[in-house]
């Protein structure tokens, strides 16, 4: 296995993680605007639980995709990564809220689920996971123009 083949899953997983974070941020903004609700509707809680939740969900998504990258994953891997990211996001935000402002953790968790923010994390995970899986399954050769091929390659 060459160095580029070893680095390929890392590159695709990193790109998938960036796409996931971008989709979650844009989705949270759009859903918040459309429903006229806050993402985390607990006064005095601050942004830390949300940041911890997104960071943990991103790590969960990337870890799931990277662990499955060697055995030619399919779209079931993308669904598993999205499910795992949504569950870890909900758990991380709830635990962070529990340590930050203990009386609001249950309310924050129920708000994320009932307002659709957890579903949005799940869908963003599926989309980012599917794009990453497509990258994993794509050809490993570097694209070349016809004049770049060596005579011994044919």
């Amino acid at each position: 296995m060459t160095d580029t083949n070893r680095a390929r899953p890392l590159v695709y997983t990193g790109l998938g993680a960036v796409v996931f974070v971008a989709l979650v941020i844009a989705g949270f903004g759009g859903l918040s605007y459309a429903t006229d609700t806050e993402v985390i509707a607990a006064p005095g809680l601050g942004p830390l639980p949300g940041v911890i939740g997104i960071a943990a969900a991103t790590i969960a998504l990337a870890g799931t995709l990277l662990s499955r990258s060697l055995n030619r994953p399919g779209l079931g891997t993308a669904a598993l990564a999205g499910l795992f990211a949504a569950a870890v996001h909900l758990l991380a935000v709830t635990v962070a809220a529990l340590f930050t402002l203990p009386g609001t953790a249950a309310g924050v968790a129920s708000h994320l689920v009932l307002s659709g923010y957890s579903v949005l994390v799940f869908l963003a995970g599926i989309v980012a996971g599917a794009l990453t899986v497509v990258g994993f399954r794509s050809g490993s050769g570097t694209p070349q123009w016809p004049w770049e091929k060596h005579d011994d390659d044919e």
Side-chain angles (χ1 to χ4, degrees):
M1 183 179 267
T2 64
D3 287 338
T4 56
N5 286 342
R6 284 188 214 149
R8 210 162 154 259
L10 292 173
V11 170
Y12 282 118
T13 301
L15 291 172
V18 169
V19 167
F20 172 71
V21 171
L23 287 172
V24 168
I25 290 172
F28 278 5
L31 187 60
S32 177
Y33 180 75
T35 60
D36 197 27
T37 61
E38 296 286 327
V39 177
I40 297 178
L45 192 59
L48 189 61
V51 171
I52 290 171
I54 295 300
T58 305
I59 291 169
L61 178 98
T64 303
L65 291 171
L66 195 58
S67 69
R68 302 286 307 223
S69 66
L70 294 177
N71 51 352
R72 201 143 166 87
L75 293 180
T77 299
L80 179 68
L83 182 65
F84 195 46
V88 168
H89 175 262
L90 184 62
L91 180 67
V93 169
T94 304
V95 169
L98 185 65
F99 284 114
T100 306
L101 203 59
T104 63
V108 167
S110 64
H111 173 72
L112 286 173
V113 172
L114 295 176
S115 296
Y117 291 103
S118 290
V119 173
L120 197 134
V121 173
F122 172 65
L123 294 175
I126 288 178
V127 170
L131 292 173
T132 304
V133 165
V134 167
F136 287 158
R137 294 179 64 97
S138 66
S140 62
T142 304
Q144 292 182 339
W145 291 103
W147 59 84
E148 292 180 311
K149 293 184 180 177
H150 300 288
D151 292 334
D152 55 346
D153 288 345
E154 297 178 44

